[in-house]
Amino acid sequence: MHFYQTTVPNCDSESHYSNYLSSQPSLPSVPSLTSQPQQLHYFFTNAYCSTTLKGHNSYISSLTLSGKFLYSGSSDNEIRLWNQNPLNSEPDDDEEQRLIDNVVAVGKGAVKSLVVLADKLFSAHQDHKIRVWKINNQEQDCPKLYTRLATLPTLNDRASKLLVPKNHVQIRRHKKCTWVHHVDTVSALALSSDETLLYSVSWDKTLKIWRTSDFKCLESVTDAHDDAINALALSTDGDVYTGSADKKIKVWRKNNSVDKKHSPVDTLEKHKSGINALALSSDGSILYSGACDRSILVWEKEDGGSMKVTGALRGHTESILCLVVVSDLLCSGSADKTIRLWRRVDRNYSCMAVLEGHKGPVKCLTAAVDHGTSISNTSYVVYSGSLDCEIKVWKIMVPLL
């Protein structure tokens, strides 16, 4: 009989944020991969904040890019839509009103993660639900509320499991529900490479897999971790990585048996504190993990397919809260209110820039290559969301190697 933990130490209420953001000592046993400061002049990077997007009245908890638009989710249940390339200048009164009047969906519970698939927007919430929204043919200057297509688990999914006793799991001493339900905050979402499956993880310690065509829950891995699951990353080869408050990263793979269920194939244990963020290189050969120990660990895939830690990226002075990879750039956001940009050269890393300007911890990041005309630089746009309720847009120009 399985029991879920229904409250976790890093929940989003104000009273618990001190635990969630508190940092712990770094990892002396893991060598640093960061270049010495005197080596950084070779990689001089031009980075600046081009604009600040205001409108949310509560902290920003999720960001994602889709086409020419940026979606943001906040702790006050709202999902907002922004032009991916906002004006560089400060908005006038009309523009300020346009940026504020851009709510496209309102759920029930803080928006923890956002994923876009074609004309559908999936949102994960603190009220234990995943919602699916129909994206309108969106005009930049006229956002409309999106239509809610479904709430996961769907009514059909719940009804089909309800009458069969083996489909029920114990969630508290005197309460049961069907295995298709998350029973705590849904903390992260990710799509499979072929976009047929949606993966979700939760503070209830489960990993669930949903079919995107009809939103049916296909599988639930109960007690995937010993504590709340905070982070999720999917590789193009099908491997699934989950990071938890239990200080572990687990690697999951669909087995070749008849049921094709996911099973753990490895457990990565080096962090000494809860893991908040995971990110993969584009080819899936490098995994980055960020935790409350202020270090970003770098894991590289060996010939046998297993991940081995090769070192740590140090520089942040507080907990690592979010990570994103774009091309050959790794971006990290921290409770120290800064974003750091890292670049890998010959298995060593240089901190290219430290972006300062947020007045609160940096909770979420997303990024894209900015396709410009420069032949001497690669340009990026990095978007950061913070507990200061603002989204900042950063323009980054990195010299070609």
Coordinates of all heavy atoms in Angstrom, one line a residue, residues 4-6 128 169 171-172 177-178 181-185 202 204 206 208:
Y4 N 1.3 8.8 0.0 CA 2.0 10.0 -0.6 C 2.2 11.1 0.5 O 1.4 11.2 1.4 CB 1.0 10.7 -1.7 CG 0.8 9.9 -2.9 CD1 -0.4 9.4 -3.3 CD2 1.9 9.5 -3.7 CE1 -0.6 8.7 -4.4 CE2 1.7 8.8 -4.9 CZ 0.5 8.4 -5.2 OH 0.3 7.7 -6.4
Q5 N 3.3 11.8 0.3 CA 3.5 13.0 1.2 C 2.8 14.1 0.6 O 3.0 14.4 -0.6 CB 5.0 13.3 1.2 CG 5.3 14.6 2.0 CD 6.8 14.8 2.1 OE1 7.6 13.9 2.3 NE2 7.2 16.0 1.9
T6 N 1.8 14.7 1.3 CA 1.0 15.7 0.7 C 1.4 17.1 1.1 O 0.8 18.1 0.7 CB -0.5 15.5 1.2 OG1 -0.5 15.5 2.6 CG2 -1.0 14.2 0.6
H128 N -2.8 20.6 -7.9 CA -2.6 19.2 -8.3 C -3.1 18.9 -9.7 O -3.1 17.7 -10.1 CB -3.3 18.3 -7.3 CG -3.2 18.6 -5.9 ND1 -4.0 18.1 -4.9 CD2 -2.4 19.5 -5.2 CE1 -3.7 18.6 -3.7 NE2 -2.7 19.5 -3.9
V169 N -5.2 4.1 -4.8 CA -4.0 4.1 -4.0 C -4.3 4.9 -2.8 O -5.1 5.8 -2.8 CB -2.8 4.7 -4.7 CG1 -2.4 3.8 -5.9 CG2 -3.1 6.1 -5.2
I171 N -3.6 7.7 -0.2 CA -2.9 9.0 -0.1 C -2.7 9.5 1.3 O -1.8 10.3 1.5 CB -3.5 10.0 -1.1 CG1 -4.9 10.3 -0.7 CG2 -3.4 9.6 -2.5 CD1 -5.5 11.5 -1.4
R172 N -3.7 9.2 2.1 CA -3.6 9.5 3.5 C -4.2 8.3 4.3 O -4.8 7.4 3.7 CB -4.3 10.8 3.9 CG -3.5 12.0 3.4 CD -4.1 13.3 4.0 NE -5.4 13.7 3.6 CZ -5.7 14.4 2.5 NH1 -4.7 14.8 1.7 NH2 -6.9 14.7 2.1
C177 N -7.5 7.6 -3.7 CA -7.9 8.1 -5.0 C -7.3 7.2 -6.0 O -6.5 6.4 -5.7 CB -7.5 9.6 -5.2 SG -5.8 9.8 -5.5
T178 N -7.8 7.4 -7.3 CA -7.2 6.6 -8.4 C -5.8 7.0 -8.7 O -5.4 8.2 -8.5 CB -8.1 6.7 -9.6 OG1 -8.2 8.0 -10.0 CG2 -9.5 6.1 -9.3
H181 N -4.5 10.4 -10.5 CA -4.5 11.7 -9.9 C -3.1 12.1 -9.4 O -2.4 11.2 -8.7 CB -5.4 11.8 -8.7 CG -6.9 11.8 -9.1 ND1 -7.6 10.7 -9.4 CD2 -7.7 12.9 -9.1 CE1 -8.9 11.1 -9.7 NE2 -9.0 12.4 -9.5
H182 N -2.6 13.3 -9.6 CA -1.6 13.9 -8.7 C -2.3 14.3 -7.5 O -3.4 14.9 -7.5 CB -0.9 15.0 -9.4 CG 0.2 14.6 -10.4 ND1 1.3 13.8 -10.0 CD2 0.4 14.9 -11.7 CE1 2.0 13.6 -11.0 NE2 1.5 14.2 -12.1
V183 N -1.6 14.2 -6.3 CA -2.3 14.6 -5.1 C -1.5 15.7 -4.3 O -1.7 15.9 -3.2 CB -2.5 13.4 -4.1 CG1 -3.5 12.4 -4.8 CG2 -1.2 12.7 -3.8
D184 N -0.6 16.3 -5.1 CA 0.2 17.5 -4.6 C 0.6 18.3 -5.8 O 0.3 18.0 -6.9 CB 1.4 17.1 -3.7 CG 1.7 18.1 -2.7 OD1 1.5 19.3 -2.9 OD2 2.2 17.7 -1.6
T185 N 1.2 19.4 -5.5 CA 1.7 20.3 -6.6 C 2.3 19.6 -7.8 O 3.2 18.8 -7.6 CB 2.6 21.4 -6.0 OG1 1.9 22.2 -5.0 CG2 3.2 22.3 -7.1
S202 N 5.6 15.6 -9.6 CA 4.9 16.2 -8.6 C 5.6 16.1 -7.2 O 6.4 15.3 -7.0 CB 3.5 15.7 -8.5 OG 2.8 16.1 -7.4
D204 N 4.1 15.0 -4.9 CA 3.6 13.7 -4.4 C 4.5 12.5 -4.6 O 4.1 11.4 -4.3 CB 2.1 13.4 -4.9 CG 2.1 13.1 -6.4 OD1 3.1 12.9 -7.0 OD2 1.0 13.2 -6.9
T206 N 5.5 11.3 -7.5 CA 5.2 10.4 -8.6 C 5.7 11.0 -10.0 O 5.8 12.3 -10.1 CB 3.7 10.1 -8.7 OG1 3.0 11.3 -9.1 CG2 3.1 9.6 -7.5
K208 N 4.3 10.8 -13.9 CA 3.2 10.3 -14.7 C 3.4 10.6 -16.2 O 4.1 11.6 -16.5 CB 1.9 10.9 -14.3 CG 1.5 10.5 -12.8 CD 0.1 11.0 -12.5 CE -0.2 10.8 -11.0 NZ -0.2 9.4 -10.6

